């Protein structure tokens, strides 16, 4: 269950549900091509938590709430920076926002009071 204000209170109900589903369901992972308010909140979380990763997201992707190549690159950078991989089947990080990634972002946001 997500706990940060940023992912539960400061988003629309629809976006919060999409982020909650991402945390518990593999088919709901967020990947390139996704769009919506939930994508924009992931982008903004990356900008807040990891300026190095977040500052690489294009303005057009943020405004369009789209998970394009610059968002994917920022996700990959964040995951590499924090060692977010599933050792059961991965040797390197990918650019997918799945269970581990959304949980890490959520915990980091909650820790700083967002």
């Amino acid at each position: 269950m997500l706990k940060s204000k940023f992912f539960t209170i400061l988003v629309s109900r629809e976006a919060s549900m999409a982020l909650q589903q991402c945390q518990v369901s593999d088919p709901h992972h967020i990947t390139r091509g996704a769009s919506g308010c939930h994508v924009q909140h992931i982008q903004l979380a990356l900008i807040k938590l990891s300026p190095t990763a977040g500052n690489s997201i294009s303005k057009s992707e943020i405004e369009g709430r789209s998970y394009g190549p610059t968002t994917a690159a920022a996700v990959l950078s964040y995951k590499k920076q924090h060692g977010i991989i599933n050792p059961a089947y991965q040797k390197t990080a990918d650019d997918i926002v799945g269970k581990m990634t959304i949980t890490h972002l959520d915990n980091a946001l909650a820790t700083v009071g967002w």
Side-chain angles (χ1 to χ4, degrees), residues 66-83:
S66 62
Y67 196 122
T70 64
T71 300
V75 168
L76 179 60
S77 175
Y78 182 84
K79 290 175 77 167
K80 285 181 177 179
Q81 184 179 22
H82 295 281

Side-chain angles (χ1 to χ4, degrees), residues 15-70:
S16 181
M17 291 297 293
L19 295 168
Q20 297 274 356
Q21 288 176 324
C22 173
Q23 190 183 33
V24 298
S25 171
D26 291 343
H28 289 95
H29 288 176
I30 301 163
T31 60
R32 287 182 190 227
S35 62
C37 188
H38 64 295
V39 172
Q40 188 178 48
H41 268 73
I42 290 168
Q43 294 165 330
L44 296 174
L46 289 165
I47 291 166
K48 290 177 179 291
L49 296 171
S50 180
T52 0
N55 287 337
S56 64
I57 302 172
S58 74
K59 184 177 179 181
S60 64
E61 284 182 28
I62 294 170
E63 290 173 354
R65 301 174 177 180
S66 62
Y67 196 122
T70 64

